[in-house]
Amino acid sequence: KAEVQSKAGELYELGPHRLICGDSRSADVLAALLEGDPEPPVLVAADPPYGMGKESDGVLHDNTRGDELDAFNAQWWEAAREVIALNASAYVWGLELVLFRFWLLAEVTGEDGEKVQGLGATNVTYRNGIVWRKPNAIGINSPDMRCYPPTTERAIFFMRGKQAIGNVNKDGFWEGFDGLRQWQADQFAAMGWGP
């Protein structure tokens, strides 16, 4: 069986989508990926290294921990922040400890270049935590199990900018939702319900 490997800098077109092999911390890589796009991305889905020591399995930068892992996360987020929409959504997967330590507590660089405490100070709004239940995770039935195995994986969901519920940021929504929004409003009115 032949081994196929992507090389850094290779760009793949998948219908209307693009995929690039490169370092997500590089503004040049992101610029190459987005070249020619008329609109900035409105969604970031990230699964950065977890710091689990899996570099020998091919997971680059996964042997980093603590401050070094925080620096890695700060670098890719700062690069992404430069190219995404002002009200973009972001989903970041990781180990619970890493997510909460870096994304909610660690000192990071704010949009004005100043060091600030936690993600909330970098002009983003934390929206929710997400739990993926994995009942068949590796090691759950291992005879040598010495601790409770993780049967979940976590993500945090946040939005760039200071976001609010209701009409405060309604102008930032895609026009394609107007039909659905109007239908819902009509249904509420028919029932005599308000917002």
Side-chain angles (χ1 to χ4, degrees), residues 60-150:
L60 293 178
H61 304 286
D62 202 53
N63 288 358
T64 59
R65 290 185 176 81
D67 292 343
E68 192 177 355
L69 187 57
D70 289 348
F72 181 94
N73 281 317
Q75 290 166 345
W76 77 257
W77 172 243
E78 287 172 19
R81 189 173 63 196
E82 294 300 317
V83 298
I84 63 175
L86 295 176
N87 65 344
S89 295
Y91 295 85
V92 181
W93 290 91
L95 292 177
E96 199 170 6
L97 177 63
V98 174
L99 289 174
F100 286 101
R101 187 190 70 243
F102 175 72
W103 291 101
L104 301 178
L105 302 175
E107 183 179 72
V108 293
T109 303
E111 293 201 358
D112 58 2
E114 294 292 317
K115 289 289 184 183
V116 291
Q117 193 73 24
L119 186 64
T122 62
N123 198 27
V124 300
T125 303
Y126 175 81
R127 300 306 262 172
N128 214 330
I130 298 168
V131 179
W132 171 23
R133 184 174 173 265
K134 299 172 14 175
N136 296 320
I138 295 171
I140 285 181
N141 295 318
S142 167
D144 297 326
M145 187 169 44
R146 297 177 61 189
C147 65
Y148 294 104

Coordinates of all heavy atoms in Angstrom, one line a residue, residues 60-150:
L60 N 2.2 16.9 15.6 CA 3.2 18.0 15.8 C 2.8 18.9 17.0 O 1.7 19.2 17.2 CB 3.3 18.8 14.6 CG 3.9 18.1 13.4 CD1 4.0 19.1 12.2 CD2 5.3 17.6 13.7
H61 N 3.8 19.3 17.8 CA 3.7 20.2 18.9 C 2.9 19.6 20.1 O 2.6 20.3 21.0 CB 3.1 21.6 18.5 CG 3.9 22.2 17.4 ND1 5.1 22.8 17.6 CD2 3.6 22.3 16.1 CE1 5.5 23.3 16.4 NE2 4.7 23.0 15.5
D62 N 2.6 18.3 20.1 CA 1.8 17.7 21.1 C 2.6 17.4 22.4 O 2.1 17.1 23.4 CB 1.1 16.5 20.6 CG -0.1 16.2 21.5 OD1 -1.0 17.1 21.7 OD2 -0.2 15.1 22.0
N63 N 4.0 17.6 22.3 CA 4.8 17.4 23.5 C 4.9 18.6 24.3 O 5.6 18.7 25.4 CB 6.2 16.8 23.1 CG 6.1 15.4 22.7 OD1 5.1 14.7 22.6 ND2 7.2 14.8 22.3
T64 N 4.3 19.7 23.8 CA 4.4 21.0 24.5 C 3.4 21.0 25.6 O 2.3 20.4 25.5 CB 4.2 22.2 23.6 OG1 2.9 22.1 23.0 CG2 5.3 22.3 22.5
R65 N 3.7 21.7 26.7 CA 2.8 21.8 27.8 C 2.9 23.2 28.5 O 3.8 23.9 28.2 CB 3.1 20.7 28.9 CG 2.7 19.4 28.4 CD 2.9 18.3 29.5 NE 2.5 17.0 29.0 CZ 3.2 16.2 28.3 NH1 4.4 16.6 27.8 NH2 2.8 15.0 27.9
G66 N 2.0 23.5 29.3 CA 2.0 24.8 30.1 C 2.2 26.0 29.3 O 1.5 26.2 28.3
D67 N 3.2 26.8 29.7 CA 3.4 28.1 29.0 C 3.7 28.0 27.5 O 3.3 28.8 26.7 CB 4.6 28.9 29.7 CG 4.2 29.4 31.1 OD1 3.0 29.4 31.4 OD2 5.1 29.7 31.8
E68 N 4.4 26.9 27.2 CA 4.8 26.7 25.8 C 3.5 26.4 24.9 O 3.4 26.8 23.8 CB 5.8 25.5 25.7 CG 6.4 25.4 24.3 CD 7.5 24.3 24.3 OE1 7.8 23.7 25.3 OE2 8.0 24.0 23.2
L69 N 2.6 25.6 25.5 CA 1.4 25.3 24.8 C 0.5 26.5 24.7 O -0.2 26.8 23.7 CB 0.7 24.1 25.5 CG -0.6 23.6 24.8 CD1 -0.3 23.1 23.4 CD2 -1.2 22.4 25.6
D70 N 0.5 27.3 25.8 CA -0.3 28.6 25.8 C 0.3 29.5 24.7 O -0.5 30.1 24.0 CB -0.2 29.3 27.1 CG -1.0 28.6 28.2 OD1 -1.8 27.6 27.9 OD2 -0.8 28.9 29.4
A71 N 1.6 29.5 24.5 CA 2.2 30.4 23.5 C 1.8 29.9 22.1 O 1.5 30.7 21.2 CB 3.7 30.4 23.6
F72 N 1.7 28.6 21.9 CA 1.3 28.0 20.6 C -0.1 28.4 20.3 O -0.4 28.9 19.2 CB 1.4 26.5 20.6 CG 1.0 25.8 19.4 CD1 2.0 25.5 18.4 CD2 -0.3 25.5 19.1 CE1 1.6 24.9 17.2 CE2 -0.7 24.9 17.9 CZ 0.3 24.6 16.9
N73 N -1.0 28.3 21.3 CA -2.4 28.7 21.1 C -2.6 30.2 20.8 O -3.4 30.6 20.0 CB -3.3 28.3 22.3 CG -3.6 26.8 22.3 OD1 -3.9 26.2 21.3 ND2 -3.5 26.1 23.4
A74 N -1.8 31.0 21.6 CA -1.8 32.4 21.3 C -1.4 32.8 19.9 O -2.0 33.6 19.3 CB -1.0 33.2 22.3
Q75 N -0.4 32.1 19.4 CA 0.1 32.4 18.1 C -0.9 32.1 17.0 O -1.1 32.9 16.1 CB 1.4 31.6 17.8 CG 2.6 32.1 18.6 CD 3.7 31.2 18.6 OE1 3.6 30.0 18.2 NE2 4.9 31.7 19.1
W76 N -1.5 30.9 17.0 CA -2.5 30.5 16.0 C -3.8 31.4 16.1 O -4.3 31.8 15.1 CB -2.8 29.0 15.9 CG -3.7 28.5 16.9 CD1 -3.4 27.7 18.0 CD2 -5.2 28.6 16.9 NE1 -4.5 27.4 18.7 CE2 -5.6 27.9 18.0 CE3 -6.1 29.2 16.1 CZ2 -7.0 27.8 18.4 CZ3 -7.5 29.1 16.4 CH2 -7.9 28.4 17.6
W77 N -4.2 31.7 17.3 CA -5.4 32.5 17.5 C -5.1 34.0 17.0 O -5.9 34.6 16.3 CB -5.9 32.6 18.9 CG -7.0 33.6 19.1 CD1 -7.0 34.7 19.9 CD2 -8.3 33.6 18.5 NE1 -8.1 35.3 19.8 CE2 -9.0 34.7 18.9 CE3 -8.9 32.7 17.6 CZ2 -10.3 35.0 18.5 CZ3 -10.2 33.0 17.2 CH2 -10.8 34.1 17.6
E78 N -3.9 34.5 17.2 CA -3.6 35.9 16.8 C -3.6 35.9 15.2 O -4.1 36.9 14.6 CB -2.3 36.3 17.4 CG -2.5 36.7 18.8 CD -1.2 37.0 19.6 OE1 -0.2 37.3 18.9 OE2 -1.2 36.9 20.8
A79 N -3.1 34.8 14.6 CA -3.0 34.8 13.1 C -4.5 34.7 12.6 O -4.8 35.4 11.6 CB -2.2 33.6 12.7
A80 N -5.3 33.8 13.2 CA -6.7 33.6 12.7 C -7.5 34.9 12.9 O -8.3 35.3 12.1 CB -7.3 32.5 13.5
R81 N -7.3 35.5 14.0 CA -8.0 36.7 14.4 C -7.9 37.8 13.3 O -8.8 38.6 13.1 CB -7.6 37.2 15.8 CG -8.5 38.3 16.3 CD -8.1 38.6 17.7 NE -6.7 39.1 17.8 CZ -6.0 39.2 18.9 NH1 -6.5 38.8 20.0 NH2 -4.8 39.7 18.9
E82 N -6.7 37.9 12.7 CA -6.4 38.9 11.7 C -7.3 38.7 10.4 O -7.4 39.6 9.6 CB -4.9 38.9 11.3 CG -4.1 39.3 12.5 CD -4.4 40.7 12.9 OE1 -4.6 41.6 12.1 OE2 -4.4 41.0 14.2
V83 N -7.7 37.5 10.1 CA -8.4 37.2 8.8 C -9.9 36.9 9.0 O -10.6 36.8 7.9 CB -7.7 36.1 8.1 CG1 -6.2 36.5 7.7 CG2 -7.7 34.8 8.8
I84 N -10.4 36.6 10.2 CA -11.8 36.2 10.3 C -12.7 37.5 10.4 O -12.3 38.6 10.7 CB -12.0 35.3 11.5 CG1 -11.7 36.0 12.8 CG2 -11.2 34.0 11.3 CD1 -12.0 35.1 14.1
A85 N -14.0 37.2 10.2 CA -15.0 38.3 10.3 C -15.0 38.8 11.8 O -14.7 38.1 12.7 CB -16.4 37.8 9.9
L86 N -15.5 40.1 11.9 CA -15.5 40.7 13.2 C -16.5 40.0 14.2 O -16.4 40.2 15.4 CB -15.9 42.2 13.0 CG -14.8 43.0 12.3 CD1 -15.3 44.4 12.1 CD2 -13.5 43.0 13.1
N87 N -17.5 39.3 13.6 CA -18.4 38.6 14.5 C -18.4 37.1 14.3 O -19.3 36.3 14.5 CB -19.9 39.1 14.2 CG -20.4 38.8 12.8 OD1 -19.6 38.4 11.9 ND2 -21.6 38.9 12.6
A88 N -17.2 36.6 13.9 CA -17.0 35.1 13.6 C -17.2 34.3 14.8 O -16.9 34.7 16.0 CB -15.6 34.9 13.0
S89 N -17.6 33.1 14.6 CA -17.7 32.1 15.7 C -16.5 31.2 15.7 O -15.9 30.9 14.7 CB -19.0 31.2 15.5 OG -20.2 32.0 15.6
A90 N -16.1 30.7 16.9 CA -15.0 29.8 17.0 C -15.3 28.6 17.9 O -15.9 28.8 19.0 CB -13.8 30.5 17.5
Y91 N -14.9 27.4 17.5 CA -15.1 26.2 18.3 C -13.7 25.7 18.4 O -13.0 25.4 17.4 CB -15.9 25.2 17.6 CG -17.4 25.6 17.4 CD1 -17.8 26.4 16.3 CD2 -18.3 25.2 18.3 CE1 -19.1 26.8 16.2 CE2 -19.6 25.6 18.2 CZ -20.0 26.4 17.1 OH -21.3 26.8 17.0
V92 N -13.2 25.6 19.7 CA -11.8 25.1 19.9 C -11.9 23.8 20.8 O -12.4 23.9 21.9 CB -11.0 26.2 20.6 CG1 -9.5 25.7 20.8 CG2 -10.9 27.5 19.8
W93 N -11.4 22.7 20.3 CA -11.3 21.5 21.0 C -10.0 21.3 21.8 O -9.0 21.9 21.4 CB -11.5 20.3 20.0 CG -12.8 20.2 19.4 CD1 -13.3 20.8 18.3 CD2 -14.0 19.6 20.0 NE1 -14.6 20.6 18.1 CE2 -15.1 19.8 19.1 CE3 -14.2 18.8 21.1 CZ2 -16.3 19.3 19.3 CZ3 -15.5 18.3 21.4 CH2 -16.5 18.6 20.5
G94 N -10.1 20.6 22.9 CA -8.9 20.3 23.7 C -9.2 19.7 25.0 O -10.4 19.4 25.3
L95 N -8.1 19.4 25.7 CA -8.3 18.9 27.1 C -8.9 19.9 27.9 O -8.6 21.1 27.8 CB -7.0 18.4 27.6 CG -6.3 17.2 27.0 CD1 -5.0 17.0 27.6 CD2 -7.2 16.0 27.1
E96 N -9.8 19.6 28.8 CA -10.5 20.5 29.7 C -9.5 21.5 30.4 O -9.7 22.7 30.4 CB -11.3 19.7 30.7 CG -12.4 20.5 31.4 CD -13.3 19.6 32.2 OE1 -13.0 18.4 32.3 OE2 -14.3 20.1 32.7
L97 N -8.4 20.9 31.0 CA -7.5 21.7 31.7 C -6.8 22.8 30.8 O -6.7 24.0 31.2 CB -6.4 20.9 32.3 CG -5.3 21.6 33.1 CD1 -5.8 22.4 34.2 CD2 -4.2 20.6 33.5
V98 N -6.4 22.4 29.6 CA -5.8 23.3 28.6 C -6.8 24.4 28.2 O -6.5 25.6 28.2 CB -5.2 22.6 27.4 CG1 -4.7 23.5 26.4 CG2 -4.1 21.6 27.8
L99 N -8.0 24.0 27.9 CA -9.0 24.9 27.4 C -9.3 26.0 28.5 O -9.3 27.2 28.2 CB -10.3 24.2 27.1 CG -10.4 23.3 25.9 CD1 -11.7 22.6 25.8 CD2 -10.1 24.2 24.6
F100 N -9.5 25.6 29.7 CA -9.9 26.5 30.7 C -8.7 27.3 31.2 O -8.8 28.5 31.4 CB -10.6 25.8 31.9 CG -12.0 25.4 31.6 CD1 -12.3 24.1 31.2 CD2 -13.0 26.4 31.5 CE1 -13.5 23.8 30.9 CE2 -14.3 26.0 31.2 CZ -14.5 24.7 30.8
R101 N -7.5 26.7 31.2 CA -6.3 27.5 31.7 C -6.0 28.6 30.6 O -5.8 29.7 31.0 CB -5.1 26.6 31.9 CG -3.9 27.3 32.5 CD -2.6 26.5 32.5 NE -2.1 26.4 31.1 CZ -2.0 25.2 30.5 NH1 -2.3 24.1 31.1 NH2 -1.6 25.1 29.3
F102 N -5.8 28.2 29.4 CA -5.4 29.2 28.4 C -6.6 30.1 28.0 O -6.5 31.3 28.0 CB -4.8 28.5 27.2 CG -4.5 29.5 26.1 CD1 -3.5 30.4 26.3 CD2 -5.3 29.7 25.0 CE1 -3.2 31.4 25.3 CE2 -5.1 30.6 24.0 CZ -4.0 31.5 24.2
W103 N -7.7 29.5 27.5 CA -8.7 30.3 26.9 C -9.5 31.1 27.8 O -10.1 32.1 27.5 CB -9.6 29.4 26.1 CG -8.9 28.8 24.9 CD1 -8.4 27.6 24.8 CD2 -8.6 29.5 23.7 NE1 -7.7 27.4 23.6 CE2 -7.8 28.6 22.9 CE3 -8.8 30.8 23.2 CZ2 -7.4 29.0 21.6 CZ3 -8.3 31.1 22.0 CH2 -7.6 30.2 21.2
L104 N -9.5 30.7 29.1 CA -10.3 31.5 30.1 C -9.4 32.2 31.1 O -9.9 33.2 31.7 CB -11.3 30.7 30.7 CG -12.3 30.0 29.8 CD1 -13.3 29.1 30.5 CD2 -13.1 31.0 29.0
L105 N -8.2 31.7 31.4 CA -7.4 32.3 32.5 C -6.1 32.9 32.1 O -5.6 33.8 32.7 CB -7.2 31.2 33.5 CG -8.4 30.5 34.1 CD1 -8.0 29.4 35.0 CD2 -9.2 31.5 34.9
A106 N -5.4 32.3 31.1 CA -4.0 32.7 30.8 C -3.9 34.2 30.3 O -4.8 34.7 29.7 CB -3.4 31.8 29.7
E107 N -2.7 34.7 30.5 CA -2.4 36.0 30.0 C -2.2 35.9 28.5 O -1.3 35.1 28.0 CB -1.2 36.6 30.6 CG -0.8 38.0 30.2 CD 0.4 38.5 30.9 OE1 1.5 38.1 30.6 OE2 0.2 39.4 31.8
V108 N -2.9 36.6 27.7 CA -2.8 36.6 26.2 C -2.7 38.0 25.7 O -2.9 39.0 26.4 CB -3.9 35.8 25.6 CG1 -3.9 34.4 25.9 CG2 -5.3 36.5 25.9
T109 N -2.4 38.2 24.4 CA -2.2 39.5 23.8 C -3.6 39.9 23.3 O -4.2 39.2 22.5 CB -1.2 39.5 22.7 OG1 0.0 39.0 23.2 CG2 -1.0 40.8 22.1
G110 N -4.1 41.1 23.7 CA -5.3 41.6 23.3 C -5.2 42.2 21.9 O -4.1 42.3 21.3
E111 N -6.3 42.6 21.3 CA -6.3 43.2 20.0 C -5.6 44.5 19.9 O -5.2 44.9 18.8 CB -7.8 43.3 19.4 CG -8.4 42.0 19.3 CD -9.6 42.0 18.3 OE1 -10.0 43.0 17.8 OE2 -10.1 40.9 18.1
D112 N -5.4 45.2 21.0 CA -4.6 46.4 21.0 C -3.1 46.2 21.2 O -2.3 47.1 21.4 CB -5.1 47.4 22.0 CG -5.1 46.8 23.4 OD1 -4.6 45.7 23.6 OD2 -5.6 47.5 24.4
G113 N -2.7 44.9 21.3 CA -1.3 44.5 21.5 C -0.9 44.5 23.0 O 0.2 44.0 23.3
E114 N -1.8 44.8 23.9 CA -1.5 44.8 25.3 C -1.7 43.4 25.8 O -2.6 42.7 25.4 CB -2.3 45.8 26.1 CG -2.1 47.2 25.7 CD -0.7 47.7 26.2 OE1 -0.3 47.3 27.3 OE2 0.0 48.4 25.4
K115 N -0.9 43.0 26.9 CA -1.2 41.7 27.5 C -2.4 41.8 28.4 O -2.5 42.8 29.2 CB 0.1 41.3 28.4 CG 1.3 40.9 27.5 CD 1.0 39.6 26.9 CE 2.2 39.1 26.1 NZ 2.0 37.9 25.4
V116 N -3.3 40.9 28.3 CA -4.5 40.9 29.1 C -4.8 39.5 29.7 O -4.2 38.5 29.2 CB -5.7 41.3 28.2 CG1 -5.6 42.8 27.9 CG2 -5.9 40.5 27.0
Q117 N -5.6 39.4 30.6 CA -5.9 38.2 31.3 C -7.2 37.5 30.7 O -8.2 38.1 30.7 CB -6.2 38.4 32.8 CG -6.2 37.2 33.6 CD -4.8 36.6 33.8 OE1 -3.8 37.3 33.7 NE2 -4.7 35.3 34.0
G118 N -7.0 36.3 30.1 CA -8.1 35.5 29.6 C -8.7 36.0 28.3 O -8.5 37.1 27.8
L119 N -9.3 35.0 27.7 CA -9.9 35.2 26.4 C -10.9 36.3 26.3 O -11.0 37.1 25.3 CB -10.5 33.9 25.9 CG -11.1 33.8 24.5 CD1 -10.0 33.9 23.5 CD2 -11.8 32.5 24.3
G120 N -11.7 36.5 27.3 CA -12.8 37.5 27.4 C -12.2 38.9 27.2 O -12.9 39.8 26.8
A121 N -11.0 39.1 27.5 CA -10.4 40.4 27.4 C -9.8 40.7 26.0 O -9.3 41.8 25.8 CB -9.3 40.6 28.5
T122 N -9.9 39.7 25.1 CA -9.3 39.9 23.8 C -10.4 40.1 22.8 O -10.4 39.7 21.7 CB -8.5 38.6 23.4 OG1 -9.3 37.5 23.3 CG2 -7.3 38.4 24.3
N123 N -11.5 40.8 23.2 CA -12.6 41.2 22.4 C -13.3 40.0 21.8 O -13.6 40.0 20.6 CB -12.1 42.2 21.3 CG -13.3 42.9 20.7 OD1 -14.3 43.1 21.4 ND2 -13.2 43.3 19.5
V124 N -13.6 39.1 22.6 CA -14.4 37.9 22.3 C -15.5 37.7 23.4 O -15.3 38.1 24.5 CB -13.6 36.6 22.0 CG1 -12.6 36.8 20.9 CG2 -13.0 36.1 23.3
T125 N -16.5 37.0 23.0 CA -17.6 36.7 24.0 C -17.6 35.1 24.1 O -17.9 34.4 23.1 CB -18.9 37.2 23.5 OG1 -18.8 38.6 23.3 CG2 -20.0 36.9 24.5
Y126 N -17.4 34.6 25.3 CA -17.5 33.2 25.6 C -19.0 32.9 25.5 O -19.9 33.5 26.1 CB -17.0 32.9 27.0 CG -17.2 31.5 27.4 CD1 -16.4 30.5 27.0 CD2 -18.3 31.1 28.2 CE1 -16.6 29.1 27.4 CE2 -18.5 29.8 28.6 CZ -17.6 28.8 28.2 OH -17.8 27.5 28.6
R127 N -19.4 31.8 24.7 CA -20.8 31.5 24.5 C -21.2 30.2 25.3 O -22.2 30.1 25.9 CB -21.1 31.3 23.1 CG -20.9 32.6 22.3 CD -21.6 33.7 22.8 NE -22.8 33.9 22.1 CZ -23.7 34.8 22.5 NH1 -23.6 35.5 23.6 NH2 -24.8 34.9 21.8
N128 N -20.3 29.1 25.2 CA -20.7 27.9 25.8 C -19.6 26.9 25.8 O -18.7 27.0 25.0 CB -21.9 27.3 25.0 CG -22.9 26.5 25.9 OD1 -22.5 26.0 26.9 ND2 -24.1 26.5 25.5
G129 N -19.7 25.9 26.6 CA -18.8 24.7 26.6 C -19.6 23.6 25.9 O -20.8 23.4 26.0
I130 N -18.9 22.7 25.2 CA -19.5 21.6 24.5 C -18.8 20.3 25.0 O -17.6 20.3 25.2 CB -19.3 21.7 23.0 CG1 -20.0 23.0 22.5 CG2 -19.8 20.5 22.2 CD1 -19.6 23.4 21.1
V131 N -19.6 19.3 25.2 CA -19.1 18.0 25.7 C -19.5 16.9 24.7 O -20.6 16.8 24.3 CB -19.7 17.6 27.1 CG1 -19.2 16.3 27.5 CG2 -19.4 18.7 28.1
W132 N -18.5 16.3 24.2 CA -18.7 15.1 23.3 C -18.5 13.9 24.1 O -17.5 13.6 24.6 CB -17.6 15.2 22.1 CG -17.6 14.0 21.2 CD1 -18.6 13.0 21.0 CD2 -16.5 13.5 20.5 NE1 -18.1 12.1 20.1 CE2 -16.9 12.4 19.8 CE3 -15.2 14.0 20.3 CZ2 -16.0 11.7 18.9 CZ3 -14.3 13.4 19.4 CH2 -14.7 12.2 18.7
R133 N -19.6 13.1 24.2 CA -19.6 11.9 25.0 C -19.0 10.7 24.2 O -19.6 10.5 23.1 CB -21.0 11.5 25.5 CG -21.0 10.3 26.4 CD -22.4 10.1 27.0 NE -22.5 8.9 27.7 CZ -23.0 7.7 27.2 NH1 -23.4 7.7 25.9 NH2 -23.0 6.7 27.9
K134 N -18.0 10.1 24.7 CA -17.3 9.0 23.9 C -17.3 7.7 24.8 O -16.3 7.5 25.4 CB -15.9 9.4 23.6 CG -15.8 10.7 22.7 CD -14.5 11.3 22.4 CE -13.3 10.6 22.7 NZ -12.1 11.2 22.3
P135 N -18.4 7.0 24.8 CA -18.5 5.8 25.6 C -17.5 4.7 25.3 O -17.2 3.8 26.1 CB -19.9 5.3 25.5 CG -20.3 5.8 24.2 CD -19.6 7.1 23.9
N136 N -16.9 4.7 24.1 CA -16.0 3.6 23.7 C -14.6 4.1 23.6 O -13.8 3.6 22.8 CB -16.5 3.0 22.4 CG -17.8 2.3 22.6 OD1 -18.1 1.6 23.6 ND2 -18.7 2.4 21.6
A137 N -14.2 5.0 24.4 CA -12.8 5.6 24.4 C -11.8 4.5 24.7 O -12.1 3.6 25.4 CB -12.7 6.8 25.3
I138 N -10.6 4.7 24.1 CA -9.5 3.7 24.3 C -9.2 3.6 25.8 O -9.1 4.5 26.6 CB -8.3 4.2 23.6 CG1 -8.5 4.1 22.1 CG2 -7.0 3.3 24.0 CD1 -7.4 4.8 21.3
G139 N -9.1 2.3 26.3 CA -8.7 2.1 27.7 C -9.8 1.9 28.7 O -9.6 1.6 29.8
I140 N -11.0 2.1 28.2 CA -12.1 2.1 29.2 C -12.3 0.7 29.8 O -12.5 0.6 31.0 CB -13.5 2.5 28.5 CG1 -13.5 4.0 28.3 CG2 -14.7 2.1 29.4 CD1 -14.7 4.6 27.7
N141 N -12.0 -0.3 29.1 CA -12.2 -1.7 29.6 C -10.8 -2.3 29.8 O -10.7 -3.6 30.0 CB -13.0 -2.6 28.7 CG -14.4 -2.1 28.6 OD1 -15.0 -1.7 29.7 ND2 -15.0 -2.0 27.5
S142 N -9.7 -1.6 29.9 CA -8.4 -2.1 30.1 C -8.2 -2.7 31.4 O -8.6 -2.2 32.4 CB -7.4 -0.9 29.9 OG -6.1 -1.4 30.3
P143 N -7.6 -4.0 31.5 CA -7.5 -4.6 32.8 C -6.5 -3.9 33.7 O -6.5 -4.0 34.9 CB -7.0 -6.0 32.4 CG -6.4 -5.9 31.0 CD -7.2 -4.8 30.4
D144 N -5.5 -3.1 33.1 CA -4.5 -2.4 33.9 C -4.9 -1.0 34.1 O -4.0 -0.2 34.5 CB -3.2 -2.5 33.1 CG -2.7 -3.9 32.9 OD1 -2.9 -4.7 33.9 OD2 -2.1 -4.2 31.9
M145 N -6.1 -0.6 33.9 CA -6.5 0.8 34.1 C -6.3 1.2 35.5 O -6.6 0.6 36.5 CB -8.0 0.9 33.8 CG -8.5 2.3 33.7 SD -10.2 2.4 33.1 CE -11.0 1.1 33.8
R146 N -5.6 2.4 35.6 CA -5.2 2.9 36.9 C -5.9 4.2 37.3 O -5.6 4.8 38.3 CB -3.7 3.0 37.0 CG -2.9 1.7 36.8 CD -1.5 1.9 36.7 NE -1.0 2.5 38.0 CZ 0.2 2.9 38.2 NH1 1.1 2.8 37.3 NH2 0.6 3.4 39.4
C147 N -6.7 4.6 36.4 CA -7.5 5.9 36.7 C -8.8 5.8 35.9 O -9.0 5.0 35.1 CB -6.7 7.1 36.4 SG -6.3 7.3 34.6
Y148 N -9.6 6.7 36.2 CA -10.9 6.8 35.4 C -10.5 7.4 34.0 O -9.9 8.4 33.9 CB -11.9 7.8 36.1 CG -12.4 7.2 37.4 CD1 -11.9 7.8 38.6 CD2 -13.3 6.2 37.4 CE1 -12.4 7.3 39.8 CE2 -13.8 5.7 38.6 CZ -13.3 6.2 39.8 OH -13.8 5.7 41.0
P149 N -10.8 6.6 33.0 CA -10.5 7.1 31.6 C -11.4 8.2 31.2 O -12.6 8.3 31.7 CB -10.7 5.9 30.8 CG -11.8 5.1 31.5 CD -11.5 5.4 33.0
P150 N -10.9 9.2 30.4 CA -11.8 10.2 29.9 C -12.8 9.7 28.9 O -12.4 9.0 27.9 CB -10.8 11.2 29.3 CG -9.6 10.4 28.9 CD -9.5 9.3 29.9

